[in-house]
Amino acid sequence: MADIDTVLIEKRRFKPPAIFSKKARIGSLAEYRKLYAKAEKNPDKFWAERAAELRWTKKWKKVLDWSGAPFAKWFTGGQLNASDCCLDRHVETWRKNKAAIVWEGEPGDARVLTYGDLHRETCKFANVLKGLGVKKGDRVTIYMPLVPELAIAMLACARIGAAHSVIFGGFTSQSIADRVEDAESRVLITADGGWRRGGIVPLKANVDDALTKTQRVEKVVVFRRTAHDVPMKQGRDFWWHELMQDASPDCPAEPLDSEHMLYILYTSGTTGKPKGVVHTTGGYMTWAHATTEWVFDLREEDTFWCTADIGWVTGHTYVVYGPLSNGATVVMYEGAPNFPGNDRFWSIVEKYRVSILYTAPTAIRAFMKWGDEWPAKHDLSSLRLLGTVGEPINPEAWMWYQRMIGGGRCPIVDTWWQTETGAILVTPLPGATPTKPGSATLPLPGIFPEILDSTGKPCKPDQGGLLTISRPWPSMLRTVYRDPERYKTQYWSRFPGKYFTGDGARFDRDGYLWIMGRVDDVIKVAGHRLGTAEVESSLVSHPKVAEAAVVGKPDELKGEAICAFVTLRSGQPKSDELRRELQEHVAKTMGSFAKPEQVRFTDSLPKTRSGKIMRRLLRKIATGDETLGDTTTLEDLSVLAKLREDEE
Ligand code: PRX
């Protein structure tokens, strides 16, 4: 998988605008390099300075305990509370009446919550959770639309020391059941529904269905959002507003050890079981806080809009924990970017005078496709900085974003990171780093990426290889929930002592990083990272399917689209109707974002001798590639010929 070829040569350069650099916290490349060298020379001092930006109820004794590597402990002996950092710290100042969340629902309803409001609601809900028997160390599952109550629920968990496990609202019943089961959650927080493209996402119905598949959950709290009729199960289901009515607004934040688990966030891996990525309190908050401040050069007067759903890590770190711990004003929008028109995002930017916009390349590609007239209808002059995350951004999309949205005046930060890294690791600093469209540029101070070939030797400039991080950093994942072995093998065994990202990348001659995509089989559809195995399991759960393999194929809009190769149980006739039925089946069991664009029927799948499906070959077939590469490990070559015959 190493030694990836480079085909992309990008010559365009953009210097940070002078007026931006003049005011920025890190205002030149020289300043960045100085800080980088400082962090390299004395990492403990560098990280301690970052951690000191938070409020600790007890100071740490040791910055990093790496004696149990690869299991890291940061700021040991220290105590703090993430909810205190995000709320109490601000309500004790003039920020009490500053807007924390400016929220807009898809139907157009809007709410503003000040830090004072958010603090009161969080305290009340923390007491509600206590009343339901939630204790420090418990795990609470949250499955909600993008409403302020989602952030309130998270902060309330953090306040009492319960870990939250947020499930993206696009998932459906089986995915909920699997995650509830793995986290052993006894309490689940949801809503009747959420608004999406004018319709209702039936969240409560999905939960009801999920709870027929697991017996784990004892109490369900339901926030009323859509107000359509939903059945409530006596003794199990409770309305949020009823529980909140009498809850006390007094709930001091529990001082927690730095390494206390803050949350689990499930992400797809290459095996069927989703991985519960574990983040803890002190280290995660330290880097969430510092990166928000540096990368977005955040100011008191900014209106910060990270468009990600809170169900993904981007939303955890850059809608909730990072901006709120900095006392920022964040925008939250519930619905689809093209409802009621293709200019919904731009009308929100104009209406709330958004100054920093952070979104995904998949969204940018959709905006490009919809046409320039949509952003052109709006005054976007409030924007001063743009960001992207989640996938490599192709240079043309970068240029469009810069020109059409940024009006040529806003720097763009292309931020590389992962659920596992907790926060941004590689990115331009907007006042310091000259940018090249398509490159995430340089590592942040304290972060040491290395690109290695398959033998573990560092690659030369412009030689593609495997991206690793060679020193621990505070917001790194601590383990895979209840599966420490998987943590070790997945991330630390490829190159002992180094964290393996699973991404292919290269450095160019200026030391700029270019991400070349995943080296494993994970498929990235519209910013969602999907494990092949989960989609395959969903297909195979259909009674007519015997076996399935899915691969990604490039898609102009979504990044990748899913192509499924399906072997039917014997005697089952192939038909277009069944093809559609299978697509719907995946949409129903996993969520519509996971729906295969193509379903191809085949009598058998190409496999290695050990029985592993050769997705590499399937990918080539899916994209119509003629050169199939090395097939010497293929068990039955005739299978390939057959597959091609089966093509539509
Ligand atoms: O392949 C990289 C890609 O997204 C992966 C991480 O996905 P996830 O855990 O879902 O987190 C997404 C939000 C942080 C990475 O391994 N990726 C993320 N950001 C970039 C990127 N690829 C290229 N450029 C980026 N800026």
Side-chain angles (χ1 to χ4, degrees):
M1 283 298 195
D3 307 325
I4 306 162
D5 290 338
T6 302
V7 284
L8 185 77
I9 303 294
E10 175 57 60
K11 292 219 158 68
R12 288 170 287 205
R13 301 280 179 281
F14 294 87
K15 277 205 204 131
I19 46 162
F20 204 102
S21 302
K22 219 186 277 166
K23 284 208 292 191
R25 286 198 174 73
I26 301 171
S28 69
L29 211 49
E31 221 177 298
Y32 155 79
R33 295 215 189 278
K34 216 165 105 191
L35 201 58
Y36 195 86
K38 248 174 78 179
E40 184 161 20
K41 214 166 128 215
N42 193 345
D44 276 12
K45 182 161 179 279
F46 172 79
W47 292 121
E49 279 169 11
R50 303 286 78 71
E53 298 285 318
L54 301 174
R55 181 156 83 172
W56 296 76
T57 37
K58 196 161 137 206
K59 204 184 162 197
W60 60 89
K61 290 204 172 72
K62 197 170 165 52
V63 171
L64 169 64
D65 176 358
W66 193 226
S67 59
F71 298 94
K73 289 187 180 150
W74 283 87
F75 309 111
T76 52
Q79 286 195 329
L80 76 168
N81 183 296
S83 174
D84 174 79
C85 291
C86 291
L87 301 173
D88 304 55
R89 208 183 168 187
H90 308 308
V91 294
E92 290 160 19
T93 71
W94 68 269
R95 285 196 191 121
K96 174 168 168 280
N97 292 319
K98 176 177 175 174
I101 296 176
V102 175
W103 174 84
E104 189 166 293
E106 197 189 69
D109 46 340
R111 287 161 65 195
V112 176
L113 279 84
T114 64
Y115 274 93
D117 295 333
L118 198 57
H119 178 257
R120 184 188 60 248
E121 296 301 298
T122 299
C123 289
K124 286 176 72 174
F125 196 66
N127 280 325
V128 166
L129 290 175
K130 281 189 192 168
L132 294 173
V134 178
K135 298 206 165 49
K136 180 172 157 182
D138 286 354
R139 282 83 46 211
V140 173
T141 295
I142 305 178
Y143 176 67
M144 294 182 88
L146 206 54
V147 290
E149 281 66 22
L150 170 49
I152 290 166
M154 292 162 76
L155 292 164
C157 288
R159 199 159 185 90
I160 61 174
H164 52 73
S165 159
V166 180
I167 302 177
F168 171 54
F171 281 109
T172 50
S173 58
Q174 189 61 50
S175 312
I176 303 168
D178 290 346
R179 286 157 175 76
V180 159
E181 201 47 50
D182 189 69
E184 299 173 313
S185 298
R186 284 180 297 114
V187 171
L188 191 151
I189 306 162
T190 188
D192 46 0
W195 292 105
R196 185 89 189 168
R197 249 173 230 116
I200 289 176
V201 184
L203 298 174
K204 176 62 165 60
N206 291 343
V207 166
D208 289 339
D209 196 26
L211 297 193
T212 62
K213 304 177 206 293
T214 165
Q215 303 308 311
R216 195 69 69 178
V217 173
E218 293 159 18
K219 303 270 195 289
V220 178
V221 183
V222 187
F223 176 71
R224 183 174 275 159
R225 166 68 189 131
T226 46
H228 69 295
D229 249 356
V230 293
M232 296 289 278
K233 190 169 168 186
Q234 185 81 30
R236 186 195 72 181
D237 301 349
F238 303 88
W239 285 109
W240 172 294
H241 58 271
E242 286 177 6
L243 295 175
M244 287 289 267
Q245 220 160 34
D246 304 319
S248 155
D250 186 23
C251 180
E254 177 89 20
L256 300 169
D257 287 341
S258 176
E259 280 301 329
H260 188 81
M261 180 160 72
L262 179 61
Y263 66 81
I264 305 171
L265 188 55
Y266 287 90
T267 180
S268 300
T270 44
T271 72
K273 198 168 156 266
K275 282 181 290 189
V277 168
V278 170
H279 284 292
T280 58
T281 310
Y284 172 80
M285 287 302 293
T286 294
W287 203 221
H289 182 95
T291 53
T292 308
E293 187 182 354
W294 283 353
V295 177
F296 301 105
D297 195 45
L298 200 66
R299 312 264 140 200
E300 200 67 75
E301 61 275 19
D302 272 320
T303 303
F304 181 80
W305 186 20
C306 165
T307 67
D309 193 283
I310 293 181
W312 306 109
V313 74
T314 309
H316 278 56
T317 307
Y318 298 108
V319 178
V320 182
Y321 291 110
L324 296 182
S325 78
N326 277 283
T329 298
V330 299
V331 171
M332 263 169 83
Y333 164 60
E334 177 189 30
N338 56 350
F339 189 87
N342 290 340
D343 57 345
R344 185 61 183 269
F345 269 29
W346 317 125
S347 84
I348 291 174
V349 168
E350 179 172 13
K351 182 166 170 193
Y352 301 106
R353 308 293 297 159
V354 171
S355 57
I356 303 172
L357 178 72
Y358 188 33
T359 194
T362 180
I364 298 169
R365 286 193 294 267
F367 299 140
M368 278 174 78
K369 182 176 165 234
W370 295 337
D372 294 1
E373 66 270 28
W374 298 99
K377 279 206 285 194
H378 295 274
D379 173 10
L380 305 181
S381 63
S382 58
L383 289 170
R384 64 180 198 91
L385 176 62
L386 303 175
T388 70
V389 59
E391 295 165 84
I393 177 164
N394 24 8
E396 286 328 302
W398 194 102
M399 293 302 297
W400 184 88
Y401 195 33
Q402 204 253 6
R403 177 173 54 84
M404 269 319 293
I405 308 305
R409 78 188 171 274
C410 304
I412 297 181
V413 289
D414 173 354
T415 63
W416 177 88
W417 58 297
Q418 308 176 296
T419 306
E420 293 87 342
T421 71
I424 298 167
L425 298 193
V426 180
T427 176
L429 288 165
T433 319
T435 48
K436 304 181 187 184
S439 169
T441 76
L442 302 170
L444 283 168
I447 305 301
F448 299 90
E450 276 181 1
I451 296 170
L452 306 175
D453 69 15
S454 47
T455 67
K457 270 209 327 270
C459 290
K460 294 195 231 10
D462 282 335
Q463 184 192 352
L466 307 174
L467 178 62
T468 65
I469 312 288
S470 61
R471 294 192 197 180
W473 66 100
S475 64
M476 63 196 271
L477 80 163
R478 295 302 189 266
T479 189
V480 172
Y481 191 61
R482 297 201 305 157
D483 199 350
E485 271 312 307
R486 193 165 174 200
Y487 167 72
K488 279 204 269 188
T489 49
Q490 180 98 29
Y491 302 106
W492 298 92
S493 65
R494 185 76 177 77
F495 303 105
K498 293 175 204 283
Y499 169 82
F500 177 43
T501 64
D503 279 356
R506 70 181 165 96
F507 285 123
D508 68 15
R509 281 166 207 286
D510 298 326
Y512 275 40
L513 189 86
W514 298 78
I515 299 291
M516 300 167 83
R518 302 290 300 167
V519 292
D520 60 17
D521 289 322
V522 171
I523 306 173
K524 210 73 207 255
V525 186
H528 306 321
R529 186 173 158 194
L530 293 173
T532 49
E534 268 192 295
V535 187
E536 288 161 9
S537 306
S538 164
L539 283 163
V540 175
S541 72
H542 189 282
K544 292 182 184 159
V545 174
E547 195 176 25
V550 302
V551 294
K553 55 181 230 150
D555 181 278
E556 211 184 306
L557 215 58
K558 291 185 283 189
E560 278 187 300
I562 298 176
C563 176
F565 294 86
V566 172
T567 307
L568 295 176
R569 293 193 185 204
S570 52
Q572 293 294 342
K574 302 163 185 165
S575 69
D576 282 344
E577 199 195 337
L578 180 56
R579 197 170 270 143
R580 278 192 297 276
E581 192 178 313
L582 293 178
Q583 288 170 318
E584 287 315 315
H585 177 74
V586 176
K588 213 171 117 230
T589 51
M590 290 197 67
S592 60
F593 62 94
K595 181 169 160 177
E597 191 184 84
Q598 261 184 14
V599 172
R600 296 181 177 204
F601 296 118
T602 172
D603 288 336
S604 51
L605 291 164
K607 290 182 188 168
T608 63
R609 274 170 232 278
S610 64
K612 285 203 177 66
I613 294 171
M614 301 182 81
R615 291 193 187 73
R616 175 168 58 89
L617 296 182
L618 292 175
R619 248 190 309 269
K620 290 197 170 187
I621 293 166
T623 50
D625 190 334
E626 287 302 317
T627 55
L628 282 170
D630 178 20
T631 54
T632 48
T633 50
L634 202 62
E635 186 195 47
D636 178 7
L637 273 172
S638 66
V639 161
L640 256 187
K642 189 80 185 66
L643 263 178
R644 307 198 118 199
E645 274 171 33
D646 289 339
E647 280 181 54
E648 298 142 1

